[in-house]
Each structure stands twice: as structure tokens, then as C-alpha cells.
Amino acid sequence: MRRFDGAAVLVTGGSSGIGLATAQAFLEEGARVAITGRDEKRLRKARADLSALGKAVAIRGDVSKPVDAKRFVAFGDGRVEVESTKRVGGLAVGVASNEVKRRGVNDRKREHLIQAGADIIVPDFDEHKELIAFLFGL
């Protein structure tokens, strides 16, 4: 088992330099990676290169600009994901799943996500169609 199997990572500035190297390292350790970048051409090339190593997604934008950061919706089951998303102005969806029972809500996790500032709390992704409709006004 690799160190980041099952983890999801967002790397800002991931289309070149240190950001790209960071994305590569996470992929090599088993994470799924989303990268952001301002240059569409470099971003497409980086995504193609990264996809050879694992699951990679590319999002054009500049998270230092509030208008771009507001386009981000992040899903996470921990304080770090929620706080990082809120810090750049994104929408944080907290996933309070009960991983032991494999259904329902973990009340302790739910409270931590609320304290961290999650905008929405969901128990899992069973109702993903309804969640997407809510998030995107469909």
C-alpha cells in the first residue's frame, strides 16, 4: 500500500515547476490529483503527462483571484480540506460518513466539519444527483 492510496489532493499552480513535481509525487504515492493553473496550454500538457501516472484532473483558474476561487467546490471528510477550501473562497462540502457502519452519519465527524466551516454536510454520495442539482441549480 502506498502512502496516499485513496487520498484526493488539490495542487494549485500544478501545471509547471514545483506544483507539477508535487502533483507527480502524490500520484506516484497513490493519490488522485486535481491541478490548477492559469495557462490553458500548459495545463492540458501537464494533465496528459500526469494521467500516465494515475487519476488527474485539470482546472483552469487562478486561486489567488477571488472570482476564480469561488468556482471551486471541494468535498472532504476532514478539517484540513474544509478550512483550505474556505481560505480560498470555495464552497466546502463536508462528508460526514460513518465508515465503520458503511452508512449513515458519523456525528463526531459532522461536528468537526461544522466547526471547520463546511457550507454543506452530506452523509455520503448516495444522493449525488440531488446534491449536484442543489449545487449547480439544475
Side-chain angles (χ1 to χ4, degrees):
M1 183 164 166
R2 297 175 293 181
R3 287 190 302 171
F4 294 103
D5 279 341
V9 177
L10 172 64
V11 179
T12 59
S15 61
S16 65
I18 292 171
L20 180 58
T22 300
Q24 289 169 336
F26 274 113
L27 282 165
E28 288 168 354
E29 290 292 335
R32 296 178 319 264
V33 174
I35 60 170
T36 67
R38 296 175 300 203
D39 185 294
E40 184 72 35
K41 186 177 178 181
R42 283 197 322 207
L43 195 59
R44 278 196 309 265
K45 181 177 180 340
R47 182 191 171 281
D49 293 345
L50 293 170
S51 292
L53 299 172
K55 175 72 175 162
V57 175
I59 304 164
R60 193 184 68 71
D62 182 349
V63 296
S64 70
K65 295 180 181 177
V67 72
D68 281 354
K70 288 180 182 175
R71 293 178 17 201
F72 286 102
V73 176
F75 294 81
D77 68 348
R79 174 176 227 90
V80 172
E81 296 99 327
V82 170
E83 289 174 348
S84 297
T85 301
K86 299 305 292 177
R87 194 173 307 118
V88 299
L91 179 73
V93 179
V95 183
S97 58
N98 186 324
E99 295 163 13
V100 174
K101 293 182 179 177
R102 296 182 126 16
R103 64 184 178 119
V105 173
N106 177 322
D107 291 327
R108 186 167 180 249
K109 188 186 292 186
R110 179 181 175 276
E111 286 304 314
H112 286 280
L113 293 168
I114 290 169
Q115 290 171 4
D119 297 295
I120 300 169
I121 304 289
V122 297
D124 51 40
F125 295 108
D126 285 344
E127 306 295 330
H128 64 279
K129 290 179 184 175
E130 291 81 358
L131 180 59
I132 290 169
F134 174 77
L135 289 173
F136 299 105
L138 302 174

